[in-house]
Amino acid sequence: MEIQGLHGRLLADLGPAIASGEIPEGAVLRSEELESRYGVSRTVVREAIRVLEAMRLVASRRRVGTTVQPREAWDVFDPLVIRWRLEGADRPAQLSSLGGLRVAVEPVAAAMAAGLATADQCRELSALAVELTVTARSGDLEVFLGHDIAFHALVLRASGNEMFAHLSDAVGAVLTGRTEHKLMPHHPAPYAVALHREVAEAICAQDPERAEQAMRAIVTGALEELAPTLGASK
Protein backbone atom coordinates (compact mmCIF):
# COMPACT_ATOMS: atom_id res chain seq x y z
CA MET A 1 0.00 0.00 0.00
CA GLU A 2 1.40 3.36 -1.05
CA ILE A 3 -0.07 6.75 -0.17
CA GLN A 4 0.69 9.31 -2.85
CA GLY A 5 0.85 13.10 -2.86
CA LEU A 6 2.12 15.68 -0.38
CA HIS A 7 0.33 14.10 2.56
CA GLY A 8 1.91 10.76 1.56
CA ARG A 9 5.37 12.29 1.88
CA LEU A 10 4.41 13.75 5.24
CA LEU A 11 3.18 10.34 6.40
CA ALA A 12 6.41 8.72 5.19
CA ASP A 13 8.20 10.84 7.79
CA LEU A 14 5.69 10.95 10.64
CA GLY A 15 4.62 7.29 10.50
CA PRO A 16 8.05 5.70 10.99
CA ALA A 17 8.92 8.33 13.62
CA ILE A 18 5.86 7.38 15.66
CA ALA A 19 6.32 3.64 15.09
CA SER A 20 9.96 3.79 16.23
CA GLY A 21 9.22 5.90 19.30
CA GLU A 22 11.18 8.87 17.97
CA ILE A 23 7.90 10.74 18.41
CA PRO A 24 6.85 9.20 21.73
CA GLU A 25 3.50 8.30 23.20
CA GLY A 26 1.75 11.40 24.52
CA ALA A 27 3.53 13.80 22.16
CA VAL A 28 1.25 16.45 20.68
CA LEU A 29 1.41 17.09 16.93
CA ARG A 30 0.51 20.71 16.24
CA SER A 31 -0.75 21.60 12.79
CA GLU A 32 1.01 24.97 12.68
CA GLU A 33 4.36 23.41 13.51
CA LEU A 34 3.94 20.67 10.91
CA GLU A 35 2.91 23.19 8.24
CA SER A 36 6.00 25.27 8.95
CA ARG A 37 8.44 22.37 9.30
CA TYR A 38 7.37 20.57 6.11
CA GLY A 39 6.29 23.57 4.05
CA VAL A 40 2.83 22.18 3.39
CA SER A 41 -0.71 23.53 3.69
CA ARG A 42 -3.15 22.96 6.52
CA THR A 43 -5.19 20.74 4.19
CA VAL A 44 -2.19 18.45 3.62
CA VAL A 45 -1.52 18.21 7.36
CA ARG A 46 -5.18 17.51 8.06
CA GLU A 47 -5.25 14.69 5.51
CA ALA A 48 -2.09 13.11 6.94
CA ILE A 49 -3.50 13.31 10.46
CA ARG A 50 -6.74 11.72 9.25
CA VAL A 51 -4.80 8.71 7.94
CA LEU A 52 -2.81 8.40 11.19
CA GLU A 53 -6.08 8.56 13.12
CA ALA A 54 -7.51 5.73 11.01
CA MET A 55 -4.49 3.65 12.03
CA ARG A 56 -5.10 4.73 15.64
CA LEU A 57 -1.53 6.00 15.93
CA VAL A 58 -2.89 9.39 16.99
CA ALA A 59 -6.13 10.80 18.38
CA SER A 60 -7.40 14.36 18.00
CA ARG A 61 -9.37 16.07 20.74
CA ARG A 62 -10.58 19.62 21.05
CA ARG A 63 -8.44 21.81 23.27
CA VAL A 64 -5.84 19.02 23.49
CA GLY A 65 -4.69 18.63 19.91
CA THR A 66 -3.45 15.55 18.11
CA THR A 67 -1.77 13.17 20.54
CA VAL A 68 0.35 10.10 19.82
CA GLN A 69 -1.42 7.04 21.23
CA PRO A 70 0.07 4.15 23.21
CA ARG A 71 1.11 1.14 21.16
CA GLU A 72 -1.75 -0.96 22.56
CA ALA A 73 -4.18 1.31 20.71
CA TRP A 74 -2.56 0.99 17.27
CA ASP A 75 -4.10 -0.95 14.40
CA VAL A 76 -1.23 -3.43 14.33
CA PHE A 77 -2.71 -5.24 11.31
CA ASP A 78 -2.48 -2.18 9.06
CA PRO A 79 0.14 -2.93 6.36
CA LEU A 80 1.72 0.51 6.69
CA VAL A 81 2.02 0.21 10.46
CA ILE A 82 3.70 -3.16 9.94
CA ARG A 83 6.04 -1.68 7.35
CA TRP A 84 6.98 1.26 9.58
CA ARG A 85 7.66 -1.01 12.54
CA LEU A 86 9.85 -3.23 10.36
CA GLU A 87 11.89 -0.19 9.32
CA GLY A 88 12.93 0.64 12.89
CA ALA A 89 14.28 -0.82 16.09
CA ASP A 90 10.94 -2.58 16.65
CA ARG A 91 11.67 -4.96 13.76
CA PRO A 92 12.50 -8.06 15.87
CA ALA A 93 9.33 -7.70 17.96
CA GLN A 94 7.24 -7.17 14.84
CA LEU A 95 8.73 -10.21 13.11
CA SER A 96 8.20 -12.33 16.21
CA SER A 97 4.56 -11.32 16.71
CA LEU A 98 3.66 -11.73 13.04
CA GLY A 99 5.50 -15.05 12.89
CA GLY A 100 3.45 -16.25 15.85
CA LEU A 101 0.25 -15.11 14.16
CA ARG A 102 1.11 -17.03 11.01
CA VAL A 103 1.86 -20.21 12.96
CA ALA A 104 -1.51 -19.93 14.71
CA VAL A 105 -3.63 -19.13 11.64
CA GLU A 106 -2.19 -20.33 8.35
CA PRO A 107 -2.05 -24.08 9.05
CA VAL A 108 -5.71 -24.01 10.14
CA ALA A 109 -6.61 -21.98 7.05
CA ALA A 110 -4.87 -24.53 4.82
CA ALA A 111 -6.82 -27.39 6.43
CA MET A 112 -10.11 -25.52 5.93
CA ALA A 113 -9.19 -24.70 2.34
CA ALA A 114 -8.73 -28.42 1.65
CA GLY A 115 -12.46 -28.83 2.13
CA LEU A 116 -13.68 -25.58 0.64
CA ALA A 117 -11.39 -24.46 -2.19
CA THR A 118 -13.10 -24.12 -5.55
CA ALA A 119 -11.81 -25.69 -8.75
CA ASP A 120 -10.61 -22.26 -9.92
CA GLN A 121 -8.78 -21.67 -6.65
CA CYS A 122 -7.11 -25.07 -6.91
CA ARG A 123 -5.94 -24.31 -10.42
CA GLU A 124 -4.58 -20.94 -9.31
CA LEU A 125 -2.80 -22.46 -6.29
CA SER A 126 -1.18 -25.11 -8.49
CA ALA A 127 -0.07 -22.49 -11.00
CA LEU A 128 1.40 -20.31 -8.25
CA ALA A 129 3.28 -23.30 -6.81
CA VAL A 130 4.87 -23.84 -10.23
CA GLU A 131 5.77 -20.15 -10.54
CA LEU A 132 7.35 -20.22 -7.07
CA THR A 133 9.51 -23.17 -8.13
CA VAL A 134 10.66 -21.44 -11.31
CA THR A 135 11.43 -18.06 -9.74
CA ALA A 136 13.17 -19.64 -6.74
CA ARG A 137 15.59 -21.38 -9.08
CA SER A 138 16.27 -18.19 -11.02
CA GLY A 139 16.84 -16.17 -7.84
CA ASP A 140 14.39 -13.45 -8.89
CA LEU A 141 13.30 -12.52 -5.38
CA GLU A 142 11.04 -9.67 -6.44
CA VAL A 143 8.92 -11.86 -8.71
CA PHE A 144 9.11 -14.72 -6.19
CA LEU A 145 7.75 -12.39 -3.52
CA GLY A 146 4.75 -11.47 -5.64
CA HIS A 147 3.90 -15.14 -6.19
CA ASP A 148 4.48 -15.93 -2.50
CA ILE A 149 2.13 -13.18 -1.34
CA ALA A 150 -0.51 -14.30 -3.84
CA PHE A 151 -0.17 -17.94 -2.73
CA HIS A 152 -0.64 -17.27 0.98
CA ALA A 153 -3.45 -14.78 0.37
CA LEU A 154 -5.27 -17.35 -1.77
CA VAL A 155 -4.98 -20.03 0.92
CA LEU A 156 -6.45 -17.61 3.48
CA ARG A 157 -9.33 -16.72 1.12
CA ALA A 158 -9.95 -20.34 0.18
CA SER A 159 -10.45 -21.17 3.86
CA GLY A 160 -13.88 -19.59 3.57
CA ASN A 161 -13.28 -17.60 6.74
CA GLU A 162 -13.50 -13.84 6.15
CA MET A 163 -11.46 -13.13 9.30
CA PHE A 164 -8.59 -15.24 7.97
CA ALA A 165 -8.91 -13.65 4.53
CA HIS A 166 -8.63 -10.21 6.12
CA LEU A 167 -5.17 -11.14 7.44
CA SER A 168 -3.76 -11.48 3.92
CA ASP A 169 -2.50 -7.88 3.87
CA ALA A 170 -0.67 -8.39 7.17
CA VAL A 171 0.93 -11.61 5.92
CA GLY A 172 1.87 -9.88 2.67
CA ALA A 173 3.47 -7.03 4.60
CA VAL A 174 5.70 -9.32 6.63
CA LEU A 175 6.69 -11.33 3.54
CA THR A 176 7.60 -8.04 1.84
CA GLY A 177 9.54 -6.86 4.89
CA ARG A 178 11.59 -10.05 4.99
CA THR A 179 12.66 -9.49 1.39
CA GLU A 180 13.20 -5.71 1.62
CA HIS A 181 15.33 -6.05 4.75
CA LYS A 182 17.38 -8.87 3.19
CA LEU A 183 16.22 -11.53 5.64
CA MET A 184 15.60 -13.96 2.78
CA PRO A 185 18.34 -16.07 1.14
CA HIS A 186 19.10 -15.08 -2.46
CA HIS A 187 17.70 -18.43 -3.55
CA PRO A 188 14.70 -19.47 -1.43
CA ALA A 189 15.28 -22.79 0.33
CA PRO A 190 14.27 -25.73 -1.89
CA TYR A 191 12.50 -27.44 1.02
CA ALA A 192 10.27 -24.39 1.55
CA VAL A 193 9.37 -24.22 -2.14
CA ALA A 194 8.59 -27.94 -2.15
CA LEU A 195 6.32 -27.43 0.86
CA HIS A 196 4.32 -24.83 -1.08
CA ARG A 197 3.75 -27.44 -3.79
CA GLU A 198 2.73 -29.88 -1.06
CA VAL A 199 0.18 -27.42 0.31
CA ALA A 200 -1.30 -26.86 -3.14
CA GLU A 201 -1.47 -30.59 -3.88
CA ALA A 202 -3.07 -31.38 -0.50
CA ILE A 203 -5.70 -28.66 -0.82
CA CYS A 204 -6.59 -29.80 -4.34
CA ALA A 205 -6.74 -33.42 -3.12
CA GLN A 206 -9.04 -32.36 -0.27
CA ASP A 207 -6.57 -33.69 2.31
CA PRO A 208 -6.85 -31.29 5.30
CA GLU A 209 -4.34 -33.07 7.54
CA ARG A 210 -1.63 -33.07 4.88
CA ALA A 211 -2.39 -29.42 3.98
CA GLU A 212 -2.17 -28.35 7.61
CA GLN A 213 1.10 -30.19 8.22
CA ALA A 214 2.75 -28.76 5.12
CA MET A 215 1.66 -25.20 5.89
CA ARG A 216 2.77 -25.57 9.52
CA ALA A 217 6.19 -26.63 8.28
CA ILE A 218 6.34 -23.52 6.05
CA VAL A 219 5.47 -20.99 8.74
CA THR A 220 7.49 -22.59 11.55
CA GLY A 221 10.44 -22.87 9.16
CA ALA A 222 10.13 -19.16 8.31
CA LEU A 223 10.14 -18.30 12.01
CA GLU A 224 13.19 -20.48 12.61
CA GLU A 225 15.04 -18.76 9.75
CA LEU A 226 14.49 -15.46 11.56
CA ALA A 227 15.84 -16.82 14.87
CA PRO A 228 19.32 -15.22 14.46
CA THR A 229 17.71 -11.84 13.84
CA LEU A 230 15.35 -12.22 16.79
CA GLY A 231 18.14 -13.50 19.02
CA ALA A 232 20.41 -10.59 18.13
CA SER A 233 17.85 -8.20 19.58
CA LYS A 234 17.93 -9.75 23.06
Side-chain angles (χ1 to χ4, degrees):
M1 175 183 177
E2 295 286 349
I3 298 179
Q4 305 295 329
L6 290 173
H7 76 282
R9 292 199 289 274
L10 180 56
L11 280 170
D13 193 54
L14 291 178
I18 293 172
S20 69
E22 180 184 342
I23 301 177
E25 172 188 339
V28 177
L29 304 179
R30 304 190 185 282
S31 294
E32 298 81 2
E33 293 176 3
L34 294 174
E35 291 167 32
S36 175
R37 177 179 176 185
Y38 292 97
V40 294
S41 68
R42 178 169 298 182
T43 300
V44 168
V45 171
R46 187 180 298 121
E47 184 62 20
I49 294 299
R50 186 191 65 78
V51 175
L52 293 173
E53 284 180 317
M55 298 174 180
R56 300 199 292 276
L57 295 182
V58 302
S60 298
R61 295 182 180 85
R62 296 178 69 179
R63 299 203 241 346
V64 176
T66 301
T67 307
V68 175
Q69 297 300 287
R71 182 167 300 177
E72 306 82 63
W74 298 356
D75 179 2
V76 293
F77 292 109
D78 187 288
L80 273 179
V81 174
I82 292 172
R83 178 188 299 181
W84 293 335
R85 292 181 69 191
L86 287 173
E87 288 176 0
D90 202 29
R91 183 184 305 161
Q94 177 72 117
L95 289 170
S96 179
S97 61
L98 283 169
L101 176 70
R102 296 187 67 199
V103 169
V105 171
E106 291 196 67
V108 177
M112 293 170 66
L116 296 171
T118 65
D120 284 344
Q121 288 173 328
C122 284
R123 280 192 289 271
E124 187 178 352
L125 269 179
S126 298
L128 285 168
V130 171
E131 293 294 344
L132 284 168
T133 302
V134 172
T135 52
R137 288 173 181 163
S138 68
D140 190 337
L141 288 184
E142 185 175 348
V143 177
F144 180 90
L145 171 63
H147 294 318
D148 200 20
I149 291 172
F151 184 94
H152 288 275
L154 181 53
V155 171
L156 290 168
R157 289 199 309 276
S159 73
N161 184 303
E162 71 275 11
M163 297 290 188
F164 288 177
H166 192 66
L167 294 174
S168 60
D169 285 345
V171 171
V174 75
L175 292 173
T176 300
R178 281 172 43 194
T179 299
E180 289 182 346
H181 296 291
K182 306 195 184 307
L183 300 173
M184 281 278 290
H186 185 63
H187 288 273
Y191 84 90
V193 178
L195 284 169
H196 283 73
R197 294 196 299 271
E198 180 81 4
V199 168
E201 290 169 7
I203 288 175
C204 296
Q206 298 184 329
D207 187 340
E209 183 176 355
R210 181 179 160 207
E212 180 172 358
Q213 289 176 348
M215 183 61 85
R216 190 172 300 282
I218 289 172
V219 292
T220 55
L223 198 53
E224 288 167 2
E225 286 177 0
L226 294 171
T229 299
L230 303 180
S233 68
K234 297 179 180 178

